[in-house]
Amino acid sequence: MTVERECPDEETRALFELTTELADEVLRPRVDAAERDGSFPREEFRVLGRAGLLALPYPERFGGGGQPYQTYLQVVEELSRAWLAVGLGVSVHTLTCFPLATAGTAEQQDWLPELLGGERLGAYCLSEPASGSDAAAMRTTAKASGADYVLDGVKAWISHAGLADFYTVFARTSGDHEGPDRAKGISCLHVPAGTPGMSAAPAEHKMGMRASVTAQMVFDGARVPAGHLVGGEGNGFALALAALDAGRLGIAACATGVAQAALDAAAGWARERRQFGRPIADFQGLSFLLADMATAVEAARALYLSAARRKDRGLPFGPQAAMAKLFASDTAMRVTTDAVQVLGGYGYVEDFPAARLMREAKVLQIVEGTNQIQRVVIGR
């Protein structure tokens, strides 16, 4: 189905056309085999990077695309509609670059053109085995030692673990993980791949998004130059939360793309599948179900775009980002489940995309703050 994009000018229209072309020619032909085999789409990320799609929301002086967030998110949605592992990967990469772009020194920001230029891929290291939703309880430490910080600890659920070219790592430089001021002791470090003492654990075996590597990152005496501290000591937790506000909009766009793909599959099947002498789309039970699915997808898109416009205008958008992430990911779960129902038995087998989309949708209710945490944010 054709999605009407918000195109303020011809440049934006051309960007969306390029995204659709890459989704059709580079991503869709590979997604089924790669998800079946668990094959990481590293070359696909390079293709997108060379086309400028890994750097869209960052200023041109950093090597970015200088695009508003509402444009960037629509690109993420279209990529996720074709292949969630790629769309989510673009969102993760954008999240990883956020601290450097917003709080890095001028010298540190000189690294950004290389990181945003297409050949480099980032990973964001915040969660730990014992601190997921309660991120301030992290135990990974970064202790000053001469001209370096020495990192010790384990980060969990890290997308691109072991395959990324650089890592944004949050660690405790002071205080205790149980103290009243525990958040004030957290700092942010830029850690290049290949740093001695840093390694990836074996990849997790996930129910969906199998082409996206997720694993623990282990730091055992990893020495990071003090010049790689981003934003100053003790400011890391505020940076992490600000990054997550923007990142939640990326997840909302991913979820909308998955839901749109499920709607496409269900509507196409309902037009073609005939029972009792006519297409099943003619039956009111199916027609109403598809109508509800389409309405929910449009509402999810409108909600994340509304939040993105607030961000683009420089207005507070944290609660709106949480609302968008909550609603869009719940929508993706519901719409993909309904798509399986529309396809019936065919929806339950992996020869058709509905089963994969349903498995992928579940993770979007969990990553970058569970939907229970989103409700906490909105409630406050």
Side-chain angles (χ1 to χ4, degrees), residues 66-359:
Q67 294 293 324
Y69 232 72
Q70 62 177 319
T71 296
Y72 155 70
L73 291 175
Q74 291 180 85
V75 169
V76 169
E77 181 197 330
E78 188 64 25
L79 295 175
S80 301
R81 183 183 179 188
W83 190 350
L84 176 60
V86 173
L88 187 66
V90 172
S91 181
V92 167
H93 178 80
T94 302
L95 178 73
T96 305
C97 294
F98 180 91
L100 273 179
T102 58
T105 64
E107 181 180 358
Q108 290 172 337
Q109 288 176 346
D110 285 341
W111 305 335
L112 281 168
E114 183 179 9
L115 306 183
L116 296 171
E119 296 295 328
R120 303 280 182 171
L121 192 65
Y124 189 80
C125 300
L126 178 63
S127 293
E128 297 184 359
S131 63
S133 296
D134 185 12
M138 69 176 62
R139 301 177 184 226
T140 297
T141 59
K143 296 181 179 179
S145 174
D148 300 326
Y149 285 95
V150 179
L151 275 169
D152 286 287
V154 179
K155 293 295 180 178
W157 311 114
I158 308 305
S159 298
H160 311 158
L163 298 174
D165 299 293
F166 62 99
Y167 297 79
T168 294
V169 181
F170 295 89
R172 187 168 299 285
T173 49
S174 65
D176 183 80
H177 68 279
E178 293 181 336
D181 296 327
R182 56 191 182 151
K184 295 180 181 179
I186 294 170
S187 302
C188 177
L189 292 150
H190 172 79
V191 184
T195 297
M198 177 177 71
S199 61
E204 307 288 355
H205 297 285
K206 306 191 299 292
M207 68 183 288
M209 214 168 57
R210 296 165 181 163
S212 177
V213 173
T214 305
Q216 293 184 348
M217 289 298 300
V218 180
F219 300 90
D220 183 9
R223 301 188 74 89
V224 181
H228 286 220
L229 178 73
V230 181
E233 279 200 9
N235 295 320
F237 197 66
L239 266 178
L241 294 184
L244 287 175
D245 280 343
R248 284 166 181 159
L249 289 180
I251 300 302
C254 289
T256 304
V258 169
Q260 182 68 57
L263 174 61
D264 294 343
W269 177 261
R271 286 192 297 267
E272 297 296 327
R273 177 69 167 172
R274 298 180 68 85
Q275 295 287 277
F276 305 101
R278 54 179 171 153
I280 62 174
D282 289 349
F283 293 93
Q284 190 178 79
L286 264 295
S287 176
F288 280 14
L289 182 60
L290 291 167
D292 287 343
M293 294 163 69
T295 301
V297 174
E298 286 289 340
R301 183 174 296 118
L303 195 55
Y304 86 63
L305 285 173
S306 175
R309 284 190 286 270
R310 289 184 63 87
K311 175 173 169 53
D312 288 333
R313 294 198 301 270
L315 299 174
F317 69 97
Q320 289 80 9
M323 292 174 189
K325 194 272 184 184
L326 168 65
F327 184 83
S329 58
D330 279 353
T331 292
M333 192 72 252
R334 184 171 65 254
V335 169
T336 56
T337 302
D338 287 344
V340 170
Q341 191 69 21
V342 170
L343 270 70
Y346 295 98
Y348 197 68
V349 298
E350 295 192 12
D351 296 336
F352 294 81
R356 170 174 59 81
L357 293 168
M358 182 179 174
R359 287 186 283 103

